[in-house]
């Protein structure tokens, strides 16, 4: 967010939004640090959880990046019908609720899944999806599309003139152009995915567990929900926050400067297009890996819809309300911070990236527990935490649009004597409808599928759809869980579509 030439927008909403973000991040962290039993130290089980957390994040990030490089290279080199649609659909796992993806992966790699059925037909031993390799498999499923798209952007950023020059000199494109780009892009992509995998709670909850497959966040959940050991939960939350801060600092430290330069925006022509079969094979295998679980969710979910218990529909209603409230609050905070502008607001807006949902939830639990039954505040706290965690993504979409409006129209607005609220209502809002709709859709979809902080607070009467679905899986009612997964999938994508479509409608008027 750039500094504004004319301060024409109201300022107190930005201050209020920043205060709320600071309370939910720094405030909850302070509560965790105050309650942690530092003199107690970490037990062998805690150290095992730390080792498992770091190891699975390293392996998940490494595999995601290694698999993404050849696929991104193939997509950068080839042009075929449906390429744009394929790249767009690769964004679907980002919106996909984790528990839904787990149902799809179980349908493919589970005990009665497609892969094990094929192995049994061939007379080979079955594989298990639970434990370390299951957690890594799920993380690769979620993060491989992100890695592909980020690395593909690096490939597409190489100016066409450099490829033309390399071809005229018969120079090796890989050594002169592609390798320097990968050295610049890949470390950042690896560390971003590593950071995501560090804070992945729902995957470890559903596919991990047990002494040998417990992450730090899962240990926090077990300490709160099963042992009710607040001191240990707070200590582990501090450890989790420390891991995230170290990873974020390394990401910032290793960010390299773009040395590719700029071009004339010509369409890239490649003269090194050998081995087309290998490129199309890589694209086909990745598409098969990513979209087969989604198809299995639909295939197995349709019969399961008839088996849904009555309380699932109430849980779905709560999820819709939580998602709507989270999206509205997230939009208000993002818009207020974007209108306020400045470096401080920018830092506040990205602060939730360093805060794990479980750490924030643990701090909130410690703050409210002495005064009220936490279950009574399950839904309001879930709304607050979900809105805060989605804020960096919404702010990134809205902030740039607000800056462009301020740059182009702020002096005109000041010369017309528009009031601060009139400026926002007449000038800003009509021109940022598209990013507003996209940000709202993103926040609603992420909140709809959240299975994080709600697990710390909710009882039977407060459960949302993801939590109800997880409990069905825990009761081995997999047919009903598949139906709930299909319902959750539909609600998430419909919520995103309604908001995104609403932002696009008449946006050019």
């Amino acid at each position: 967010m750039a500094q504004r030439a004319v301060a024409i927008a109201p300022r107190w909403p930005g201050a209020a939004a920043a205060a709320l973000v600071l309370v939910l991040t720094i405030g909850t962290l302070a509560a965790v640090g105050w309650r942690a039993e530092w003199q107690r130290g970490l037990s062998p089980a805690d150290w095992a959880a730390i080792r498992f957390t770091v190891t699975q994040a390293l392996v998940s990030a490494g595999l995601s990046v290694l698999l993404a490089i050849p696929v991104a290279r193939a997509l950068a080199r080839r042009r075929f019908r449906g390429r744009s649609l394929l790249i767009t659909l690769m964004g679907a796992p980002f919106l996909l609720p984790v528990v839904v993806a787990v149902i799809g992966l179980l349908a493919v790699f589970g005990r009665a899944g497609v892969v094990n059925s094929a192995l049994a037909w061939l007379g080979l031993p079955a594989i298990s999806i639970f434990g370390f390799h299951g957690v890594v498999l799920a993380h690769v499923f979620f993060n491989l599309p992100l890695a592909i798209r980020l690395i593909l952007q690096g490939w597409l950023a190489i100016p066409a003139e450099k490829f033309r020059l390399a071809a005229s000199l018969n120079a090796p494109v890989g050594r002169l152009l592609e390798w320097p780009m990968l050295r610049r892009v890949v470390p950042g992509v690896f560390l971003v995915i590593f950071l995501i995998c560090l804070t992945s709670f729902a995957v470890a909850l559903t596919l991990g567990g047990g002494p040998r497959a417990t992450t730090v966040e899962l240990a926090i959940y077990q300490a709160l929900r099963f042992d009710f050991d607040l001191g240990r939960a707070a200590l582990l939350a501090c450890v989790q926050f420390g891991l995230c801060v170290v990873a974020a600092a390394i990401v910032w430290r290793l960010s390299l400067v773009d040395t590719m330069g700029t071009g004339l925006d010509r369409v890239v022509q490649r003269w090194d297009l050998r081995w087309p079969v290998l490129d199309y094979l890589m694209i086909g295998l990745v598409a098969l890996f990513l979209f087969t679980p989604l198809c299995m969710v639909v295939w197995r979910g349709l019969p399961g819809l008839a088996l849904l218990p009555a309380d699932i529909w109430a849980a779905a209603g709560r999820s819709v309300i939580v998602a709507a409230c989270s999206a509205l609050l997230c939009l208000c905070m993002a818009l207020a911070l974007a209108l306020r502008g400045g470096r401080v607001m920018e830092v506040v807006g990205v602060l939730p990236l360093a805060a794990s949902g479980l750490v924030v939830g643990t701090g909130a639990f410690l703050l409210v527990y002495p005064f009220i039954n936490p279950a009574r505040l399950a839904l309001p706290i879930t709304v607050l935490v979900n809105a805060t965690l989605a804020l960096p993504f919404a702010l990134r979409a809205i902030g740039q649009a607000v800056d462009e409006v301020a740059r182009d129209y702020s002096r005109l607005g000041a010369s017309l004597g528009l009031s601060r609220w009139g400026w926002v209502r007449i000038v800003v809002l009509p021109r940022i409808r598209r990013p507003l709709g996209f940000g709202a859709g993103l926040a609603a979809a992420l909140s709809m599928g959240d299975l994080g902080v709600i697990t710390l607070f909710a009882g039977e009467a407060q459960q949302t759809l993801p939590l109800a679905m997880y409990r069905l899986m825990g009761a081995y009612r997999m047919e009903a869980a598949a139906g709930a997964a299909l319902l959750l999938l539909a609600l998430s994508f419909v919520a995103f579509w309604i908001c995104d479509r609403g932002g696009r409608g008449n946006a050019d008027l």
Side-chain angles (χ1 to χ4, degrees), residues 219-373:
I220 295 171
Y221 168 74
Q222 292 169 345
L224 273 182
R225 294 293 293 187
F226 300 129
D227 304 330
F228 202 68
D229 189 342
L230 299 182
R232 179 169 177 257
L235 182 60
L236 289 170
C238 291
V239 170
Q240 177 68 25
F241 180 77
L243 290 174
C244 294
V245 168
V246 171
I250 296 175
V251 170
W252 177 80
R253 181 69 179 172
L254 290 185
S255 297
L256 301 181
V257 178
D258 184 3
T259 57
M260 283 296 170
T262 57
L264 300 177
D265 295 333
R266 291 194 176 106
V267 176
V268 174
Q269 281 186 288
R270 302 289 296 262
W271 287 269
D272 57 332
L273 297 180
R274 293 174 295 177
W275 309 106
V277 174
L278 187 59
D279 284 346
Y280 289 120
L281 180 63
M282 292 299 302
I283 295 172
L285 288 176
V286 166
L288 186 67
F289 172 66
L290 294 178
F291 299 129
T292 300
L294 298 182
C295 295
M296 293 302 294
V297 168
V298 178
W299 176 259
R300 295 197 172 181
L302 286 174
L305 289 175
L307 304 174
L308 290 177
D311 60 348
I312 283 291
W313 300 104
R318 291 187 204 99
S319 288
V320 171
I321 294 172
V322 167
C325 295
S326 296
L328 181 61
L329 179 60
C330 181
L331 271 195
C332 292
M333 290 195 297
L335 184 59
L337 292 176
L339 289 171
R340 179 69 181 261
R343 181 64 64 184
V344 174
M345 294 297 110
E346 187 176 356
V347 172
V348 170
V350 299
L351 196 58
L353 287 177
S356 157
L358 256 291
V359 174
V360 174
T362 303
F365 189 96
L366 294 173
L367 287 173
V368 304
Y369 175 71
F371 308 102
I372 190 172
N373 181 3

Side-chain angles (χ1 to χ4, degrees), residues 350-412:
V350 299
L351 196 58
L353 287 177
S356 157
L358 256 291
V359 174
V360 174
T362 303
F365 189 96
L366 294 173
L367 287 173
V368 304
Y369 175 71
F371 308 102
I372 190 172
N373 181 3
R376 299 179 63 181
L377 297 177
L379 298 184
I381 288 180
T382 302
V383 168
L384 289 172
V385 174
N386 287 349
T388 304
L389 296 181
L391 178 62
F393 307 104
L395 183 59
R396 184 175 178 81
I398 295 171
Q400 185 176 359
V402 170
D403 279 342
E404 290 175 358
V405 173
R407 184 187 61 226
D408 296 338
Y409 297 97
S410 61
R411 293 185 186 281
L412 176 61

